Structure formats: C-alpha cells, structure tokens
Amino acid sequence: MPGPAIVCTNYYKIQTMREIKRIIVKSGKDQSLRRLHPWLFSGAIKKMSGTPRDGELVKVYDNKNEFLALGHYQIGSIAVRVISFSDFDPDENFWMEKIRSVYEYRKMLGFFDSEETSVFRFINAEGDGMPGLIADFYNGTLVVQFHSVGMYLIRDMLVEIFKRLLGDKLKAIYYKSGKTLPHKADIDHKDAWLFGEDNGRVVKEYGNSFKIDFEKGQKTGFFIDQRENRKLVEKYSKDKKVLNLFGYSGAFSVYAMRGGAEQVHTVDSSAIAIELAKENLELNFPGDKRHDAIVADAFNYLDSAGDKGYDLIILDPPAFAKHQNVLHKALQGYKRLNAKAFQCIRPGGILFTFSCSQAVSRENFKRSVFVAAANSGRSVRILYQLSQPVDHPVSIYHPEGEYLKGLVLYVE
Ligand code: SAH
C-alpha cells in the first residue's frame, strides 16, 4: 500500500541490534509447536541463552537446534506466544501484512460496509495469528486491549499501522489494558485515548442501538461475541415472558423486545450494568413498559422466580473458570445455575444457556447442563448448539480459542 513510511519507535529494530535470545525445548516437547500451536509452556523449556525480559522477542529451537518458532517471551505458564513459524527478523512490514490480512478478512465478511452493524471484533488474538492482541471496532473507534507484554511493547507501531490501513474509517483509538496485562510485569500505564478523541458512543448491531461505556464498561465495552445468539433470541421471543440473567447492558433484552416479547426482565448484580441496560432499552424502546431492570444476584433471583412464569430464560454468566485448577468448581456452578433455571421455566419454555470459560470444554459444559436437566426430571430437547461469530475466529491450530459455548433447549 502506498503512503509515508511509518515513523515510530521500532522496538524490534532496537532489539535486533542485539542478539535475539534462543530458547531450547526439551526433547519430546516440540510436538505442539510442530503442529503450529501458538503457545510454548514454561515446563517445556530446557534452556535459554541469557535471561529474556518480559515481552522480548525470542527464537525457539528443538533439542537438535532446528528452528521451531518466533515469539514474545513472558514470565508465566505460557512462556512464549508465537507470532511466526518462519525464521526471520520481524519488522513493521511483517505486522502490516498480518493486520492487512485481518482487515481483508473483515472486509470480505462485509463488516466495513454494513448499514445495520457498526460494531465488530477487528483482531481476535490467537484466532487471527496475533496472540495477546484484541482490537474491537466501534463505529470508527478502535478499542485496543493488550494481553501480553510483547504486544504492549510494540503498541506505537501497531497504532501507526491501524491509522495507515484504516485511513478515514478510523476516527479514534482507545487503549484499554488496565486489567489485562500481568501485574507482575510492572508496566506503568493508564487507559487513555491514543489517537483522536471520543467519537460518539452509540453503535448499531443488526439495527439496534447500544450505548458503549469504554471507560467503565466490561471487556472493551460490549459483549460483541453474542451478536448472532442475540439475533436468535429475537426470533423466539414473540409473546414470551423473558428473563435475561447476567444481562449486562441489556443487549439480549433489546432483541427480545424487538422480537415481540410480552415482558422482559434484565437482571445483573452490577448497578452500573443495570443503569446501562436501562439507557439502552430507553434508546431503542422509549417509554415501553414491557421492560424492567433489576440489580440482583442471579442465583438468588432464580430461587424465587418459579411463580413469575418465565418462558424464555437466558443464562450468560461470566467465566466461572479462568484456569484448569478451578474447573471442578466451575462445572458445579454451571450445574447449580442451570438446575435452578430448569426448575422454574414454564413447560414449553426455551432456555438459552452459555459458558464463556475457556477452561471449560464444550463436552464438560454440556454434561453439567445435562445433569442439571436430568435432576429436574424435565424432558429437554436441543434446538441449537451455539458458538462465537465469524469476527471471533478460531485458528484450527488453537482449539482453546473456541471459548464461547451455548445451548438452546426446549424444556417441556
Ligand atoms: N449477556 C451480556 C453479557 C454478560 S457478562 C451481554 O450480552 O452483553 C456477565 C455479567 O454477569 C456481567 O454484567 C456481571 O456484572 C454479571 N454478574 C456476575 N456475577 C453475577 C451474579 N452472581 N448475579 C448476577 N449478575 C452477575
């Protein structure tokens, strides 16, 4: 692409003047990298040349000194996040081509020309070959979130590439990594506007409007990954009494309202979330009395929901398991939550139930829900098995990237 050269602090140039440190993998521990999986765990390391710093570029070799991968080093269980399986010294062009590829992919999917949707994920970390980097597009505002020090260190270069590639489609960039970078890395940073300024906060999703709180909102501001699943809720909401548990900013509720629900209740334990939900409902359905938003714990709420006669319930809890070591507890949590929903949903009701825990496999999630169903004695059919949308792609070499799992169940 023509245009001025990128003027920025090129961290890589500084680093490659010195020698790139080498990591040697223990014998037999090279298999996952040979299968193009993008992580090297610390336990697989035999030795390192020197002591790489957090975020430093490293090259990984097998026991016989054969090159395996190039990546960002970080102290922790995942020691290297791979950015390439080719042996070379990366420069701005390398990143430009990577980001051009995500841009072409989203363009091919129609995200940049859509009249009805202006919010989507632009870069999905491992799923787009860029471990540690998330970038969400909100109607011209790109919210960037770094999950690795290596990506954080090249932020200036990335910002310049975003500006150059997206041109006038890009109005502003907001940096939001306050909670996502490791504390131990001791990075002195604050969430801030890196480019442009606040460019409005209302985005469209399938024609519905949503106000986004970039600063205080969860994730990058919105749960973009539920777009298609919300559309499905709309389809089944006609004349239903809908309960949207863990409702956050009310997105599922807006779709239920548009689908012709008789009544919709949004429940979340966060008062900030419930305020946002009220605003979003008012934005789309001003003065509509069918909706109510309640600050409450979802588990407690379900205990007394039996007499309310809900016939469509959405369960979209936060990740119950962030690590494998709490897996058992998480599965118990899903079982308990779903059991309560099976107990109170009306005969002929529809349950939308989700897990966004990366550590919980689809099989494990299904088993928890099925045990809860069996214990309730209800007859249950599977209508749909859901996942994440196309702008949250999963790399075929990184199955862990499929974190969102959902079931739509018909409960007699
Ligand atoms: N369904 C939402 C996203 C849900 S995120 C959407 O489509 O936008 C999970 C939400 O659960 C968060 O808003 C969080 O505040 C809320 N939450 C966490 N624990 C809770 C609990 N015990 N009871 C109710 N809400 C809870």
Side-chain angles (χ1 to χ4, degrees):
M1 175 181 275
I6 294 168
V7 183
C8 63
T9 336
N10 185 350
Y11 172 78
Y12 286 129
K13 270 192 193 136
I14 301 166
Q15 198 197 329
T16 50
M17 279 191 260
R18 301 187 212 116
E19 207 185 331
I20 295 181
K21 298 204 174 77
R22 297 163 68 94
I23 292 187
I24 312 290
V25 172
K26 286 179 190 160
S27 160
K29 295 282 185 188
D30 55 344
Q31 286 311 314
S32 75
L33 289 178
R34 289 197 191 281
R35 286 195 300 265
L36 308 187
H37 191 283
W39 294 342
L40 177 70
F41 287 100
S42 56
I45 295 178
K46 185 177 173 195
K47 61 178 182 198
M48 304 197 279
S49 65
T51 316
R53 287 163 303 154
D54 260 337
E56 200 169 316
L57 197 66
V58 290
K59 289 189 176 179
V60 183
Y61 297 82
D62 74 4
N63 213 14
K64 300 193 178 76
N65 262 329
E66 190 185 324
F67 175 84
L68 291 170
L70 172 73
H72 288 143
Y73 178 78
Q74 191 162 310
I75 297 163
S77 156
I78 302 173
V80 181
R81 289 169 172 81
V82 175
I83 58 168
S84 176
F85 290 95
S86 302
D87 187 4
F88 67 106
D89 293 347
D91 56 8
E92 293 111 335
N93 266 337
F94 165 76
W95 288 101
M96 175 63 106
E97 289 314 309
K98 265 193 182 280
I99 294 168
R100 195 196 304 282
S101 137
V102 303
Y103 183 43
E104 293 301 326
Y105 173 77
R106 268 76 180 174
K107 272 206 299 200
M108 179 273 289
L109 293 165
F111 281 108
F112 284 100
D113 311 311
S114 171
E115 296 271 306
E116 51 174 15
T117 298
S118 61
V119 52
F120 58 89
R121 177 150 289 186
F122 183 57
I123 299 178
N124 190 40
E126 283 86 353
D128 280 312
M130 284 178 264
L133 182 60
I134 296 285
D136 288 338
F137 191 85
Y138 290 91
N139 194 28
T141 296
L142 198 64
V143 181
V144 291
Q145 193 163 72
F146 297 93
H147 291 253
S148 77
V149 182
M151 286 294 181
Y152 167 80
L153 291 176
I154 57 168
R155 66 198 178 284
D156 292 348
M157 175 168 62
L158 294 172
V159 164
E160 291 307 316
I161 293 174
F162 293 146
K163 290 197 315 208
R164 186 155 150 196
L165 262 183
L166 294 173
D168 58 9
K169 292 188 174 67
L170 184 66
K171 306 279 188 281
I173 299 181
Y174 186 66
Y175 169 86
K176 187 173 187 186
S177 304
K179 295 196 182 112
T180 59
L181 281 165
H183 296 299
K184 278 182 275 175
D186 203 20
I187 290 167
D188 181 22
H189 65 126
K190 272 203 204 84
D191 293 351
W193 294 94
L194 295 182
F195 162 66
E197 52 193 49
D198 196 345
N199 152 61
R201 278 146 191 265
V202 176
V203 297
K204 288 236 180 267
E205 190 188 79
Y206 282 127
N208 291 312
S209 298
F210 294 102
K211 192 178 157 205
I212 311 297
D213 187 338
F214 297 123
E215 291 89 351
K216 289 199 242 78
Q218 300 183 33
K219 302 239 271 187
T220 60
F222 195 54
F223 288 81
I224 306 173
D225 54 358
Q226 288 285 24
R227 180 196 314 113
E228 307 304 324
N229 305 333
R230 293 195 267 259
K231 191 110 199 301
L232 206 55
V233 163
E234 173 176 352
K235 183 171 172 184
Y236 290 102
S237 292
K238 186 138 184 55
D239 302 326
K240 299 266 174 24
K241 274 188 91 170
V242 175
L243 173 60
N244 178 12
L245 283 172
F246 307 93
Y248 184 50
S249 59
F252 274 107
S253 302
V254 168
Y255 282 77
M257 295 281 282
R258 195 167 71 172
E262 181 191 308
Q263 194 176 49
V264 181
H265 290 156
T266 306
V267 174
D268 199 287
S269 56
S270 151
I272 297 177
I274 288 299
E275 276 319 301
L276 262 178
K278 284 182 181 161
E279 276 186 66
N280 281 328
L281 267 296
E282 195 54 31
L283 196 59
N284 292 279
F285 299 95
D288 197 320
K289 296 273 182 286
R290 290 178 296 152
H291 180 258
D292 207 359
I294 304 133
V295 180
D297 174 82
F299 288 84
N300 292 343
Y301 188 87
L302 277 174
D303 283 338
S304 56
D307 50 357
K308 295 206 172 70
Y310 292 116
D311 30 26
L312 193 153
I313 298 181
I314 301 144
L315 300 176
D316 185 23
F320 284 165
K322 294 227 161 84
H323 308 285
Q324 284 293 340
N325 50 5
V326 288
L327 184 62
H328 177 71
K329 218 171 140 221
L331 294 177
Q332 290 299 111
Y334 288 118
K335 200 170 91 186
R336 205 157 65 85
L337 181 65
N338 283 278
K340 287 177 191 283
F342 284 123
Q343 269 153 29
C344 73
I345 197 164
R346 257 195 201 159
I350 297 181
L351 176 64
F352 281 72
T353 180
F354 296 97
S355 161
C356 62
S357 308
Q358 196 179 68
V360 173
S361 68
R362 186 174 284 279
E363 279 318 304
N364 272 336
F365 173 59
K366 274 165 116 174
R367 199 167 307 129
S368 303
V369 175
F370 294 176
V371 170
N375 289 346
S376 74
R378 310 279 300 258
S379 153
V380 180
R381 293 182 183 80
I382 301 177
L383 296 180
Y384 296 92
Q385 306 203 34
L386 305 176
S387 185
Q388 60 215 54
V390 288
D391 51 332
H392 291 64
V394 181
S395 157
I396 205 157
Y397 308 116
H398 180 255
E400 298 90 333
E402 192 196 343
Y403 65 94
L404 185 61
K405 299 152 290 275
L407 291 168
V408 186
L409 304 171
Y410 181 74
V411 188
E412 281 184 330

